[in-house]
Amino acid sequence: MAAPWWAAALVTLGVVGLAAGPRGCAAQPVVLASYAQPKLSLRPYDWTYLRVDLPASFSSITMNFATDRDIPREHLRDLPKSDLAIICLMIANPPIPDTSDYYLDNLLSNFLAVGSFGNTNNQSNLVQCIPFQKNTTIVLTNGQISPGIWYIGYFNGLGPARTQSKMISRGRALSVSTSITVEGCPTSALWGPYCNQTIETIGCSQFSRYNNSRDLLGLTINTRKILKTKENTRRTSFLSRSNHPIGHQLESNSTSVVGVENLITCAISNDSLCLRQGDIKFYFLDIVNQALQFEITAANFRLSQSASLICYLRCNALPQRDLHDYSGDISSAPLVIKLPNIGRWYIAIEILNKTQMRNTTAPMLDTICFSFDWQVTGCLNGKTGTDCLWEAYVLQRVPKRNPSVPFESYYVPTDERALLEYSHFSLEKFLTNSSFEQFAWTYFFLDVPQGSAGALIHVQLKSDKELNYELYSKYGGLPSNDSWDYYASRTSSSNSSVFYSLQNSTDSDMDLSIFYAKEGTWCFGVKHPNYTSNSQTYMSISLQGCHRNCNQKGVCHASVDESGLTFYSFCTCDRDHGGFDCSDELVSPNGHIRQSVFLIASNAAAILPAFWALRQKAFAEWILYTSSGISSALYHSCDVGTWCILSFRVLQFLDFWLSFMAVVGTFIYMATIKEASKRAMHTAVFILTAILAATGATRSANIGIVIAIGSFGLLIGWILEFSTARRFVCCSWRINLNVPHRWPNLAALFWNTLEMLNKRFRWLYLLFGLITLSFAALSWKLESNSSYWIWHSMWHITIYTSSFFFLCSMRVNTTNHSPETTYELTRQDTLPTTESSQT
């Protein structure tokens, strides 16, 4: 089998050394990139992402968030999940916040303690979140986070609620303004968060060696390859690199080569590295492909018994004494890192005085010089593993070209070019055949393309017999028993992550998904017994949009993050389900029927005001109340999924518009004005309420706006009635300076107005109308995703009942079936003749 691309590329592995001292020439960091978004609006239970690229030369990133949400820190713990708005940060893939009570409690505890992310010290695989505040500024350096692709997640409300349902979601919208600035060092000769560390390069050399499973030492002679066969005592051949290609067979009297290793060695020799106690120097090692290990060794040093040469290592970030991935005393033994991840490994070396750690009065150590080298080991000719014995395959991506999910594809081995039309392949054909150990490993490498970090990797194993395989996965490195990101077997799995799911697995099937898989190289390792079984197992690996196609409880959609560089998928769930993949049942089937009946049947309350209006021959109001009740019933019938006579948007507009008109129409009816004036007011109200229903029907503020419009209409009606009765014309009013003579007339006017109001209304009905209107406003306020059906049903009942009481509160003239208007206020002899002459 030909060597895969990652093995062949290992011979060009880039290794560059960096030596950085704290006394380098400082330089002012320069702006590498900036991003600004003036306003981002999030509806209740809405979310979005923003992709931020941090280059390898970045020194710091400053993020400013300004929102219209200002919640005191001491009140954050009292907020329900549905009202908690948070910002999340994660490297390589869009964050999915954990909504468990334990996680949210820790989140709030960390934020209340430090006012920022709880722990940003290279927690690359963890989601870091903080609550939204009025103004939030976050500054992170390259000592805290790694370079690469980072995603910011904006979440307005958490929990498995009806985040995507058509049901009205009561809550507060959120507006966010974002400003991001990325700074870096002006030249490649400077490094560090403040660009105050200098850089120097280190020379490296490369050679290859062959080994068997029992001897991993090998022998180096300049640039010559040393080949060892399984029978080491029989024959050893030395062949020049120029005339011995990879994979060439040995002479007929020797056995075949078991493993081929490629080594790259970098060194600082001749005791040229000198350190004083307290100094620390940095280097970095770029591992661009899969490697077996790298080893750091120190030599040519003279240390006292109280001194140690300490080495710290950290992937993709500068190591510190109290923050590193690996550490060791290389003055006593080499430091070996097995199966390192792809990326930039930073190395820090310092002299440590163990005596001074115990006794602060101990003398300082003198300058110590030494040399050290590091060696990177990899495999060639299509092998991998600790001994270069395991089979490794690169999977080819085959796009499905689904317009709704642009990144959807499946992966098959390159050897299966003739079978690209099948999304699965026979696993037994590719398994490692080795007899040295009880279990063997077979590795499959695949690339998640750029811009598709919002997809999921779906892996499935189906066998005709009981599965005896274990599946390990790791991003950017080889998985093993000790190092993996996700693990699954027939009996157990790593199910503690929100980014991983193992479902519907049986003794012969294994089905797992990795949500929002990171862009780049993934490796899946299959651990299997060495003996050959007669089973037939098919393996399929695919890149999909939504988990299990939203469990058949919703529709999968794809969107683009705010930067426009990454696609991500999400589910639009049906009325009864919610959650990330619509797997949470929010409403049972019986509950769905109960809610549907309440929401539809509660509109029968419109019969009360409609009947009264018809009885009083107020035909305009009768049509308004009747059509409002019918349109609301049809709208909720469509909303719960029963029957849609028109499109959802049309029905929603009609429901809200006619409901607004019914409320305002009740107020206008209570004003006894001429029909011409009433028609004019109705026309104005038609326009205003239509605009409200068309531009934001579900806004919580609409109920207050509608009541304000109705009250204003009632006030205008009374002013028109009063001005007509008193024969006042606003433009003909004259200023009367004889104020003392007017006081008796004003007093009479006030008492006549009170008498008019007393005779016009039935105050008991008016009181009932105000009480039921208050209950309607309370029902509107209490609506939430979980209790929407009951409180909105109460809204139907109370709002129509309040209209009925308001209509009943008017005293009606039995002659013309209109509200009575012949009161003492309209008599012209109530005022003295002298006052009349003055007016």
Side-chain angles (χ1 to χ4, degrees):
M1 183 190 67
W5 64 267
W6 60 267
L10 189 59
V11 299
T12 59
L13 176 66
V15 181
V16 181
L18 159 69
R23 298 175 178 82
C25 298
Q28 187 69 25
V30 297
V31 176
L32 301 180
S34 61
Y35 173 85
Q37 187 175 49
K39 185 177 181 181
L40 173 64
S41 297
L42 297 176
R43 296 172 299 175
Y45 286 100
D46 201 1
W47 77 93
T48 189
Y49 297 109
L50 173 63
R51 171 174 172 154
V52 179
D53 291 287
L54 299 182
S57 60
F58 99 100
S59 60
S60 66
I61 177 174
T62 303
M63 298 176 286
N64 295 301
F65 304 98
T67 72
D68 56 357
R69 185 73 59 88
D70 190 13
I71 302 174
R73 291 190 180 184
E74 59 271 15
H75 295 163
L76 286 173
R77 290 186 179 275
D78 300 330
L79 288 178
K81 293 181 183 180
S82 58
D83 294 337
L84 185 61
I86 62 174
I87 311 169
C88 294
L89 186 68
M90 190 172 187
I91 191 172
N93 58 297
I96 303 175
D98 189 346
T99 60
S100 64
D101 293 335
Y102 175 78
Y103 174 82
L104 294 178
D105 184 67
N106 286 340
L107 182 153
L108 294 177
S109 298
N110 292 331
F111 178 75
L112 294 175
V114 300
S116 183
F117 293 105
N119 185 5
T120 54
N121 292 326
N122 202 35
Q123 297 294 322
S124 301
N125 296 322
L126 300 179
V127 180
Q128 300 289 333
C129 300
I130 61 172
F132 270 109
Q133 292 290 286
K134 185 72 174 179
N135 291 287
T136 304
T137 299
I138 301 171
V139 180
L140 300 173
T141 67
N142 58 6
Q144 294 175 293
I145 62 174
S146 308
I149 300 173
W150 286 81
Y151 288 90
I152 302 173
Y154 305 82
F155 300 88
N156 186 20
L158 302 176
R162 276 183 244 249
T163 57
Q164 303 298 321
S165 173
K166 293 179 181 178
M167 287 286 192
I168 302 171
S169 179
R170 298 289 180 225
R172 181 179 175 183
L174 180 69
S175 178
V176 187
S177 298
T178 304
S179 176
I180 299 175
T181 302
V182 180
E183 293 184 338
C185 300
T187 65
S188 59
L190 297 174
W191 190 255
Y194 307 103
C195 299
N196 61 346
Q197 296 173 334
T198 57
I199 297 177
E200 64 182 65
T201 59
I202 300 174
C204 301
S205 61
Q206 173 186 307
F207 63 94
S208 299
R209 71 183 179 189
Y210 288 73
N211 66 275
N212 65 4
S213 61
R214 303 304 179 190
D215 185 3
L216 293 178
L217 296 178
L219 179 64
T220 304
I221 302 180
N222 296 330
T223 59
R224 300 177 62 85
K225 296 180 180 179
I226 301 174
L227 287 77
K228 287 194 175 183
T229 65
K230 293 172 63 176
E231 299 177 2
N232 292 307
T233 58
R234 290 181 51 193
R235 180 179 179 87
T236 301
S237 299
F238 296 87
L239 300 177
S240 172
R241 174 178 295 183
S242 59
N243 60 14
H244 183 76
I246 298 298
H248 193 279
Q249 297 294 321
L250 298 177
E251 297 181 11
S252 58
N253 60 343
S254 65
T255 59
S256 61
V257 175
V258 176
V260 182
E261 290 183 349
N262 185 76
L263 292 90
I264 296 178
T265 301
C266 303
I268 297 179
S269 58
N270 301 323
D271 302 339
S272 58
L273 179 58
C274 298
L275 287 177
R276 295 178 302 175
Q277 183 179 344
D279 288 348
I280 184 169
K281 286 197 174 183
F282 297 91
Y283 304 85
F284 71 77
L285 168 67
D286 277 330
I287 298 182
V288 297
N289 300 114
Q290 300 293 342
L292 296 182
Q293 69 178 34
F294 70 82
E295 179 180 311
I296 300 176
T297 305
N300 301 325
F301 55 85
R302 294 182 179 88
L303 295 176
S304 64
Q305 295 181 352
S306 62
S308 296
L309 194 58
I310 305 300
C311 180
Y312 307 99
L313 287 95
R314 189 176 175 194
C315 185
N316 291 324
L318 292 175
Q320 303 173 22
R321 292 184 181 92
D322 56 349
L323 182 61
H324 48 265
D325 296 334
Y326 301 92
S327 65
D329 184 359
I330 59 176
S331 59
S332 59
L335 180 59
V336 179
I337 309 301
K338 297 287 187 180
L339 303 177
N341 280 6
I342 293 175
R344 176 163 290 184
W345 284 83
Y346 290 89
I347 304 167
I349 298 179
E350 72 167 343
I351 301 296
L352 184 63
N353 188 347
K354 293 181 288 187
T355 303
Q356 192 176 40
M357 294 178 62
R358 297 187 298 265
N359 183 9
T360 56
T361 61
M364 295 287 291
L365 296 175
D366 296 331
T367 300
I368 298 175
C369 297
F370 59 94
S371 62
F372 82 99
D373 64 78
W374 61 61
Q375 188 176 81
V376 182
T377 306
C379 298
L380 296 179
N381 72 336
K383 302 289 185 177
T384 189
T386 304
D387 300 338
C388 293
L389 298 177
W390 311 138
E391 298 289 347
Y393 303 90
V394 176
L395 301 183
Q396 180 179 358
R397 176 174 170 263
V398 182
K400 291 186 177 181
R401 302 189 181 279
N402 185 350
S404 61
V405 186
F407 42 74
E408 192 169 27
S409 52
Y410 60 89
Y411 296 87
V412 292
T414 53
D415 299 57
E416 300 275 296
R417 293 184 182 275
L419 302 176
L420 291 182
E421 63 272 16
Y422 298 105
S423 59
H424 59 270
F425 56 91
S426 176
L427 182 59
E428 279 74 17
K429 290 176 56 177
F430 301 95
L431 294 181
T432 298
N433 187 11
S434 175
S435 59
F436 294 108
E437 298 180 9
Q438 182 180 1
F439 290 93
W441 288 78
T442 302
Y443 294 98
F444 298 93
F445 295 88
L446 61 90
D447 266 340
V448 175
Q450 187 174 7
S452 58
L456 66 87
I457 299 177
H458 180 226
V459 183
Q460 197 170 23
L461 297 178
K462 287 184 175 293
S463 178
D464 57 355
K465 295 183 180 180
E466 184 176 286
L467 278 175
N468 198 15
Y469 301 145
E470 297 178 7
L471 186 62
Y472 297 78
S473 65
K474 188 176 182 180
Y475 174 78
L478 285 175
S480 64
N481 288 323
D482 303 322
S483 175
W484 42 264
D485 292 335
Y486 304 105
Y487 157 78
S489 69
R490 184 171 53 85
T491 57
S492 62
S493 67
S494 57
N495 55 2
S496 59
S497 172
V498 296
F499 292 91
Y500 176 80
S501 173
L502 180 67
Q503 292 185 351
N504 298 334
S505 296
T506 63
D507 291 341
S508 59
D509 296 341
M510 189 183 299
D511 191 311
L512 61 95
S513 299
I514 301 174
F515 304 140
Y516 285 178
K518 302 175 182 179
E519 301 173 8
T521 302
W522 282 83
C523 180
F524 289 88
V526 179
K527 183 180 179 182
H528 51 90
N530 256 321
Y531 60 87
T532 303
S533 64
N534 296 324
S535 63
Q536 180 67 39
T537 305
Y538 288 98
M539 184 176 188
S540 65
I541 304 177
S542 60
L543 198 64
Q544 299 179 1
C546 296
H547 182 227
R548 299 184 61 81
N549 196 22
C550 301
N551 288 285
Q552 310 303 321
K553 304 299 182 181
V555 180
C556 184
H557 296 277
S559 185
V560 184
D561 79 304
E562 297 300 319
S563 69
L565 299 176
T566 299
F567 288 96
Y568 66 93
S569 57
F570 63 93
C571 289
T572 300
C573 304
D574 60 23
R575 278 78 171 171
D576 302 333
H577 296 82
F580 177 76
D581 55 357
C582 304
S583 59
D584 297 316
E585 185 182 69
L586 304 179
V587 182
S588 64
N590 292 333
H592 179 89
I593 296 175
R594 181 177 61 255
Q595 295 184 16
S596 301
V597 171
F598 268 81
L599 286 169
I600 297 173
S602 59
N603 289 281
I607 295 177
L608 295 175
F611 172 77
W612 180 262
L614 181 63
R615 186 172 181 270
Q616 304 304 323
K617 296 185 179 180
F619 296 111
E621 285 75 11
W622 169 67
I623 294 175
L624 186 58
Y625 293 125
T626 303
S627 58
S628 175
I630 293 174
S631 64
S632 181
L634 293 176
Y635 161 69
H636 287 288
S637 175
C638 181
D639 185 48
V640 299
T642 303
W643 178 55
C644 294
I645 190 174
L646 296 172
S647 68
F648 177 82
R649 292 188 177 274
V650 172
L651 290 174
Q652 186 182 62
F653 171 79
L654 288 176
D655 174 39
F656 282 86
W657 178 47
L658 292 175
S659 298
F660 296 159
M661 278 300 305
V663 174
V664 180
T666 302
F667 284 94
I668 296 177
Y669 177 80
M670 297 172 67
T672 56
I673 56 178
K674 294 181 179 180
E675 287 297 323
S677 300
K678 186 176 291 188
R679 287 195 299 269
M681 295 181 66
H682 275 157
T683 302
V685 170
F686 285 156
I687 297 173
L688 291 177
T689 53
I691 292 175
L692 284 178
T695 57
T698 61
R699 282 191 301 248
S700 298
N702 281 348
I703 184 64
I705 296 175
V706 169
I707 292 178
I709 293 175
S711 302
F712 182 74
L714 178 60
L715 180 62
I716 293 297
W718 283 351
I719 291 175
L720 291 176
E721 177 187 348
F722 177 79
S723 62
T724 302
R726 296 300 302 158
R727 298 177 183 176
F728 286 163
V729 179
C730 295
C731 62
S732 64
W733 274 27
R734 294 175 297 178
I735 300 176
N736 189 347
L737 299 178
N738 192 8
V739 176
H741 292 283
R742 295 183 57 88
W743 284 116
N745 297 335
L746 294 175
L749 178 63
F750 175 75
W751 289 110
N752 288 335
T753 302
L754 291 181
E755 186 177 359
M756 177 205 72
L757 294 175
N758 184 46
K759 291 184 177 181
R760 173 168 295 187
F761 294 107
R762 298 184 177 95
W763 289 95
L764 184 61
Y765 287 104
L766 186 62
L767 178 61
F768 287 159
L770 292 174
I771 293 175
T772 51
L773 182 62
S774 301
F775 274 114
L778 181 63
S779 300
W780 181 280
K781 185 67 176 177
L782 292 177
E783 287 180 9
S784 64
N785 290 321
S786 58
S787 60
Y788 169 81
W789 65 279
I790 182 63
W791 289 116
H792 198 71
S793 300
M794 292 301 298
W795 156 262
H796 291 157
I797 296 172
T798 52
I799 196 65
Y800 286 125
T801 304
S802 67
S803 297
F804 171 72
F805 283 132
F806 283 134
L807 295 178
C808 293
S809 68
M810 298 294 296
R811 296 183 185 272
V812 179
N813 190 331
T814 57
T815 303
N816 54 10
H817 296 279
S818 62
E820 295 181 359
T821 59
T822 55
Y823 301 134
E824 286 79 356
L825 181 62
T826 62
R827 296 174 184 172
Q828 299 300 311
D829 57 352
T830 57
L831 296 177
T833 56
T834 57
E835 178 67 16
S836 300
S837 64
Q838 289 179 359
T839 58

